Amino acid sequence: MSKTMLLKPRLSEKTYALSTGRVYVFDVPKNANKHDIARAVAAQFEVVVSSVRIANIAGKAKRTISLSGKRVAAGAGGKQIDRKKAYITLAEGQSLPFFAAVEEAEEKQEETQEKVAKALDKQAQKAETAEKKRAGLHLPKRSGTRGGDK
């Protein structure tokens, strides 16, 4: 059952924050236990699982409406489906590639921001030296006799 178990990773901001601590969240079948989930993750992703925590999430009640005195559920059964989530903690040095694209995009954005900041600093320095030249404030030369001490 380990390779045939459907493991659907939950990709959200909260699970991204958890993944920095080597904890990954999966939606798993309701009949799966911790041992089955650990074997399935280890087999499918070739990683070492150190612990598994399970949370059973009860489905929320949906809105009901009243039509001609009868109460009718606005959906099938009047509630959302029940879910089972597994929090997988991997061994030290192990990771899964779910958020690799997000991390690459963040690194690329940081590099772009650094380039933009460097270009803005350079442009500001050029504008500052041009402004000083326009105002007639020339910096003294190193040899020392000429200069604009005013």
Side-chain angles (χ1 to χ4, degrees):
M1 180 172 173
S2 63
K3 284 197 174 184
T4 60
M5 183 183 297
L6 179 64
L7 296 171
K8 181 183 170 195
R10 295 184 64 92
L11 304 176
S12 66
E13 291 179 9
K14 186 175 183 180
T15 58
Y16 176 68
L18 287 172
S19 71
T20 59
R22 299 182 335 267
V23 176
Y24 296 89
V25 184
F26 291 92
D27 283 333
V28 294
K30 291 179 191 141
N31 61 351
N33 60 27
K34 290 182 180 185
H35 301 293
D36 292 338
I37 295 168
R39 277 188 238 123
V41 170
Q44 289 180 14
F45 299 106
E46 299 173 357
V47 293
V48 178
V49 176
S50 63
S51 71
V52 177
R53 293 176 295 153
I54 293 178
N56 289 312
I57 311 299
K60 295 180 182 178
K62 288 189 176 179
R63 175 183 290 176
T64 57
I65 56 175
S66 181
L67 296 175
S68 66
K70 295 180 182 177
R71 299 203 95 179
V72 179
K79 72 173 214 159
Q80 294 176 344
I81 61 170
D82 297 337
R83 290 188 163 82
K84 189 171 196 175
K85 293 194 296 189
Y87 292 84
I88 311 294
T89 304
L90 300 181
E92 189 72 36
Q94 301 281 318
S95 66
L96 296 177
F98 299 136
F99 297 107
V102 174
E103 291 169 355
E104 287 176 9
E106 285 178 353
E107 289 174 9
K108 196 177 216 181
Q109 185 177 8
E110 288 175 7
E111 289 174 5
T112 306
Q113 288 290 72
E114 289 175 6
K115 287 180 182 177
V116 167
K118 191 182 276 187
L120 286 174
D121 287 341
K122 192 174 184 178
Q123 194 174 31
Q125 287 176 353
K126 282 184 180 179
E128 185 178 313
T129 56
E131 189 66 31
K132 284 182 181 179
K133 285 182 181 178
R134 275 189 224 121
L137 300 174
H138 297 290
L139 299 174
K141 290 188 176 181
R142 291 186 187 197
S143 59
T145 56
R146 285 181 35 189
D149 290 351
K150 292 182 181 178

